[in-house]
């Protein structure tokens, strides 16, 4: 069975994410599909819940949905709580977990 992942945003058609994740899947011998979901704000919540209820494993979230994703999940990581925004949602037995990556300042020295 192919693991399903997606990028949710509005717009998303310009994204290279399916190509990048497809290369990663081939390099690591993973059976996964990564697709783009162009989801307007009024449909975001239902689109995400449909994706996960259909067996999806995880999503990335881009503008304009990062704060809506934080409100949608069952649990936030401490980092996502501080940001009040989510960039990644994963399905777990307890529900949906939202997180966001660490952003570190670059030093020129």
């Amino acid at each position: 069975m192919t693991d399903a992942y997606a990028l949710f945003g509005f717009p998303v058609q310009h994204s290279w994410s399916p190509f990048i994740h497809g290369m990663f899947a081939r390099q690591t011998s993973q059976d996964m599909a990564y697709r783009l979901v162009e989801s307007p704000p009024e449909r975001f919540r239902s689109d995400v819940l449909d994706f996960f209820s259909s067996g999806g494993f995880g999503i990335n979230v881009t503008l304009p949905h990062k704060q809506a994703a934080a409100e949608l999940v069952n649990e936030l990581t401490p980092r996502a709580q501080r940001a009040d925004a989510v960039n990644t949602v994963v399905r777990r037995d307890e529900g949906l977990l939202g997180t966001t990556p660490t952003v570190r300042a670059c030093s020129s020295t």
Side-chain angles (χ1 to χ4, degrees):
M1 182 176 191
T2 302
D3 296 338
Y5 297 90
L7 171 66
F8 280 76
F10 189 72
V12 293
Q13 297 309 315
H14 63 281
S15 175
W16 284 77
S17 290
F19 173 78
I20 294 166
H21 285 83
M23 294 291 290
F24 171 78
R26 282 189 288 287
Q27 290 174 357
T28 59
S29 301
Q30 292 188 44
D31 184 14
M32 66 175 273
Y34 190 96
R35 65 185 179 102
L36 300 176
V37 179
E38 184 132 338
S39 181
E42 63 273 10
R43 281 200 344 244
F44 174 72
R45 181 179 185 81
S46 62
D47 287 348
V48 169
L49 294 176
D50 288 347
F51 175 82
F52 282 109
S53 68
S54 297
F57 278 87
I59 65 171
N60 293 113
V61 179
T62 191
L63 297 174
H65 303 311
K66 292 177 180 273
Q67 288 181 316
E71 296 169 5
L72 171 70
V73 298
N74 303 92
E75 181 182 357
L76 292 168
T77 62
R79 189 176 306 130
Q81 286 176 352
R82 286 189 303 276
D84 191 29
V86 165
N87 138 293
T88 303
V89 177
V90 294
R91 185 184 70 197
R92 302 187 327 167
D93 289 339
E94 307 83 35
L96 300 177
L97 172 69
T99 189
T100 194
T102 300
V103 177
R104 299 189 190 280
C106 295
S107 172
S108 60
T109 57

